[in-house]
Amino acid sequence: MAAAKIKKGDQVIVLSGKDKGRTGEVVKAMPKDGKVVVSGVNVHVRHVKPSQTNPQGGLDRSEAPMHVSKVAHVVDGKPTRVRFETGKDGKKVRVAVKTGKKIDG
């Protein structure tokens, strides 16, 4: 598996699908599956029957995972690709391809 270019806490924009153009923060990253969960994006609704624990029942809305190729980093409001560079201290840092800004601190 390649190094994770999108991590938890990153701001991303959706590139394709029903939520195209929407932005959000990565809530969960699943690098082994190649998926991410973005807050407020790809929301699925599940009908829940009333039970003892939930006597009201109703609709259960939750964000579903989406493929990492459908999202891109947002830098200054625009999507960008990510590359890796070695910093001054010899550590690997993520850098936005379009602007050259560092993504990790």
Side-chain angles (χ1 to χ4, degrees), residues 48-58:
V48 181
K49 287 175 74 173
S51 63
Q52 281 189 329
T53 57
N54 184 9
Q56 185 64 35

Side-chain angles (χ1 to χ4, degrees), residues 18-19 22 35 37-48 58-67 70:
K18 63 178 183 168
D19 293 316
R22 295 185 62 186
K35 296 186 182 239
V37 177
V38 183
S39 64
V41 177
N42 199 24
V43 177
H44 286 193
V45 179
R46 184 184 176 108
H47 295 262
V48 181
L59 301 175
D60 181 28
R61 291 180 170 82
S62 62
E63 292 109 2
M66 60 192 318
H67 200 267
K70 289 188 169 204

Side-chain angles (χ1 to χ4, degrees), residues 1 29-35:
M1 244 314 126
M30 299 176 267
K32 286 186 179 177
D33 302 330
K35 296 186 182 239

Side-chain angles (χ1 to χ4, degrees), residues 11 13 23 73-80 96 98-101 103:
Q11 282 292 322
I13 188 168
T23 59
H73 261 281
V74 173
V75 177
D76 300 331
K78 294 186 177 180
T80 182
K98 281 189 179 176
T99 60
K101 290 184 179 177
I103 294 171

